[in-house]
Amino acid sequence: FNSNFPENTNYLLKIDSEGNEIWNKTIGSVASNNILYSVLQTNDGSYIMTGFHTSASNSERNVWLVKTNSQGDVDWSQMGVVGTGQDTKQTQDGGFITTGYEYPNVLLHKTNAQGQIEWSKSYIGGGNNYGKSVQETEDGGFIITGYTDCCGGWQAFLIKTDSGGNT
């Protein structure tokens, strides 16, 4: 990687099957603290990423979704609920489901195809809880996996919801 990239930017690199670079992009701003944790290729060949964004004037983290086209150019960037996004998947309706956390809660929020929030839920446990992965289920609901420190040590958890995020 090139060390000349500015701080607080994210580096997106596309390679071919032999590891040769096809293109690279930087996403983010040096005027804010932003980190993207996951990337997924969508059904149309574009990419969706999630993490968090913190503006220079506000220390509060907001879930950050970024969608690019197939060449890595940003189509849209949306800040969501307070917290950190860890994983995003495309849903059957073309929108996106994101899990993450805002201490001590696990977050789950559903957006439309343009990243606008349709609904948002939080799940409270007995300690600090981290939503790490989400998947849409065959019945149109969602499952979230993650971990918690509620019981005197780190424990895995699984949350199953309906299509509206209700457990």
Side-chain angles (χ1 to χ4, degrees):
F1 292 112
N2 185 336
S3 62
N4 294 325
F5 287 104
E7 289 185 47
N8 296 328
T9 59
N10 297 277
Y11 187 63
L12 183 62
L13 171 70
K14 183 167 182 174
I15 58 174
D16 64 20
S17 62
E18 296 180 7
N20 300 307
E21 181 177 316
I22 297 172
W23 50 256
N24 69 71
K25 304 288 178 169
T26 56
I27 299 171
S29 165
V30 295
S32 61
N33 183 16
N34 50 74
I35 295 176
L36 293 167
Y37 288 112
S38 70
V39 61
L40 174 76
Q41 190 168 25
T42 61
N43 296 337
D44 66 359
S46 60
Y47 299 92
I48 186 76
M49 294 162 276
T50 192
F52 73 86
H53 175 84
T54 305
S55 70
S57 63
N58 182 350
S59 63
E60 188 172 77
R61 288 182 177 186
N62 290 297
V63 174
W64 185 31
L65 288 177
V66 178
K67 183 163 180 298
T68 70
N69 62 21
S70 62
Q71 300 302 308
D73 300 314
V74 174
D75 284 340
W76 52 257
S77 173
Q78 295 283 355
M79 263 53 87
V81 297
V82 173
T84 298
Q86 290 286 299
D87 187 39
T88 297
K89 298 288 190 320
Q90 190 167 26
T91 53
Q92 293 175 23
D93 65 3
F96 300 97
I97 192 75
T98 300
T99 193
Y101 56 88
E102 171 60 22
Y103 305 114
N105 303 331
V106 172
L107 301 176
L108 183 67
H109 73 266
K110 172 75 174 73
T111 66
N112 64 18
Q114 290 74 42
Q116 298 160 331
I117 295 176
E118 294 179 350
W119 53 259
S120 183
K121 302 282 184 168
S122 65
Y123 310 95
I124 301 171
N128 288 316
N129 305 287
Y130 303 87
K132 298 301 277 183
S133 182
V134 64
Q135 184 68 44
E136 188 170 17
T137 56
E138 288 182 10
D139 65 1
F142 305 98
I143 53 171
I144 307 165
T145 61
Y147 57 93
T148 181
D149 66 357
C150 74
C151 306
W154 293 106
Q155 309 259 331
F157 67 76
L158 175 70
I159 299 171
K160 170 71 172 92
T161 75
D162 64 15
S163 62
N166 302 303
T167 54

